[in-house]
Amino acid sequence: MQETPFCLRVGHRLLCFMSDSNTTSFTNPSTFILLGIPGLEMVHLWISIPFCAMYAIAILGNSTILFIVKRETSLHVPMYYFLCMLSVTDLVLSTSTLPKMLSIFWFNSREIDFSACLTQMYFIHCFSVMESGIFVAMALDRYVAICDPLRHSTILTNHVVAKISLAVVLRSGILTLPFPFLARRWPYCTTNIIPQSYCEHIAVVKLACADIQISSYYGLFVVFSVIGLDVSFIAVSYTQILWAIFHLPTKEARLKTFGTCGSHLCVILAFYIPALFSFLTHRFGHNVPLYFHVLIANMYILVPPMLNPIIYGVRTKRIRDRLLQLFTHKGT
């Protein structure tokens, strides 16, 4: 059985692999090869240290929030229901990608089963869209709490919160369901090497030896419909919130509320900016170094799950107080 080299240009480098000449034409490959961060292979081990630390913080922080909210009945209100949804989303989003990334960095385990790749693709996109929807729900909660506090409990009842949560889940599940099916239908007849550290939709379908305009246009539709609608709603909500903040009676109240909303906006921007940059670079950023693009793509998977429990959890007084009570009680 003759082996022939296959070469892939990654930035300014040419990476060559040996492939079986009898398997260079296939409709669906049995496995894909993830390269990790192309161009930075020599420092994969060092890169894995902050990645692993961020993953550990994300797991610990989000699990702690879920534990505290479940334990404390006084926290069973809309804000903390949405916060729990965000924590679950972050746990799934980071866990669907980080273990495989770390296995690439630590053990050079680059292979991923074709079906596993499509499953990972669905989870990444589904829970990314879900996280965007949760940010919208949390912005709505903050808007009502600050701009119409007397009616907050009557507007956002448990029934309304359940409907909003169901809408967020259904929207993300339905919108992203075509991604793996579109990826599965294309023939992959040249290579199964993905110059990424996880199975992102457009990075996979770019390997197809067919016209992938349907996948590309649908991806554009999802991104711009989700980000366009969600960011617009969040922007309007926080504009109204800021307007209400500047009309608060005391300077102390204004600074306190503005600090909270400012930290929330930072987390939201940390999610949307890398996500949008990564998406646009795949299609238009031909001059962007591949390693930089892959690092940014990893950031929107890694950073929000780490920051969310810190900003929305530790900096929230009621959760911080419950956490201190828990440790104080254990210490006593």
Side-chain angles (χ1 to χ4, degrees):
M1 188 177 294
Q2 184 182 1
E3 288 191 344
T4 56
F6 169 77
C7 295
L8 174 70
R9 182 165 293 281
V10 178
H12 299 294
R13 305 177 64 199
L14 194 66
L15 303 179
C16 294
F17 304 85
M18 297 305 295
S19 62
D20 192 323
S21 61
N22 292 331
T23 60
T24 55
S25 179
F26 41 78
T27 302
N28 284 335
S30 59
T31 59
F32 279 118
I33 306 295
L34 295 167
L35 294 185
I37 303 177
L40 298 179
E41 292 87 356
M42 298 300 293
V43 291
H44 270 177
L45 189 60
W46 294 105
I47 293 172
S48 71
I49 296 173
F51 278 33
C52 186
M54 286 189 282
Y55 182 48
I57 294 170
I59 294 293
L60 181 62
N62 287 295
S63 299
T64 301
I65 286 176
L66 292 172
F67 174 76
I68 290 176
V69 174
K70 182 179 184 299
R71 181 187 177 94
E72 297 294 332
T73 55
S74 64
L75 299 179
H76 294 179
V77 293
M79 174 183 174
Y80 296 101
Y81 289 147
F82 293 138
L83 184 57
C84 285
M85 284 186 66
L86 187 65
S87 292
V88 171
T89 301
D90 285 336
L91 286 171
V92 175
L93 192 59
S94 55
T95 302
S96 63
T97 53
L98 259 294
K100 182 58 184 177
M101 277 190 213
L102 293 176
S103 71
I104 294 171
F105 296 155
W106 291 342
F107 311 114
N108 203 33
S109 176
R110 300 173 185 272
E111 287 193 357
I112 183 170
D113 184 77
F114 182 69
S115 297
C117 184
L118 297 182
T119 303
Q120 185 189 58
M121 177 195 301
Y122 178 72
F123 271 75
I124 290 169
H125 292 291
C126 177
F127 282 88
S128 294
V129 173
M130 195 179 299
E131 182 149 340
S132 180
I134 295 169
F135 282 139
V136 172
M138 296 178 80
L140 173 64
D141 174 71
R142 291 298 84 206
Y143 167 76
V144 177
I146 294 173
C147 298
D148 199 359
L150 297 179
R151 299 179 58 207
H152 181 265
S153 58
T154 57
I155 294 174
L156 288 177
T157 62
N158 287 343
H159 185 62
V160 171
V161 170
K163 283 185 174 180
I164 292 173
S165 303
L166 183 62
V168 168
V169 172
L170 288 178
R171 183 190 73 155
S172 59
I174 293 170
L175 273 179
T176 56
L177 190 60
F179 283 144
F181 289 101
L182 287 171
R184 182 178 286 275
R185 66 173 290 187
W186 305 125
Y188 299 89
C189 53
T190 54
T191 179
N192 60 346
I193 299 168
I194 305 172
Q196 267 275 15
S197 51
Y198 58 84
C199 293
E200 199 270 341
H201 171 247
I202 200 66
V204 173
V205 299
K206 271 185 173 181
L207 305 181
C209 51
D211 185 357
I212 59 167
Q213 281 191 350
I214 296 175
S215 290
S216 183
Y217 288 152
Y218 185 73
L220 284 168
F221 163 75
V222 171
V223 167
F224 286 114
S225 62
V226 169
I227 292 183
L229 290 174
D230 291 1
V231 170
S232 298
F233 187 90
I234 291 170
V236 170
S237 297
Y238 274 94
T239 301
Q240 295 295 319
I241 289 170
L242 291 173
W243 179 259
I245 288 173
F246 289 126
H247 287 79
L248 290 174
T250 65
K251 182 179 179 181
E252 183 182 354
R254 288 196 294 270
L255 289 175
K256 182 180 178 182
T257 311
F258 184 78
T260 302
C261 291
S263 60
H264 291 185
L265 283 173
C266 288
V267 172
I268 290 169
L269 291 174
F271 174 77
Y272 284 112
I273 291 176
L276 189 59
F277 177 87
S278 174
F279 179 83
L280 294 176
T281 304
H282 260 307
R283 288 160 173 80
F284 312 114
H286 305 297
N287 296 323
V288 177
L290 185 58
Y291 71 86
F292 182 73
H293 169 215
V294 174
L295 281 173
I296 294 296
N298 288 335
M299 286 304 101
Y300 97 88
I301 296 292
L302 286 167
V303 174
M306 178 193 69
L307 284 182
N308 290 340
I310 297 172
I311 300 299
Y312 289 109
V314 177
R315 290 200 59 184
T316 302
K317 186 177 186 301
R318 293 175 71 180
I319 288 185
R320 187 171 65 247
D321 290 345
R322 297 302 185 278
L323 188 60
L324 290 173
Q325 286 177 11
L326 184 65
F327 282 114
T328 303
H329 177 73
K330 283 189 174 181
T332 305

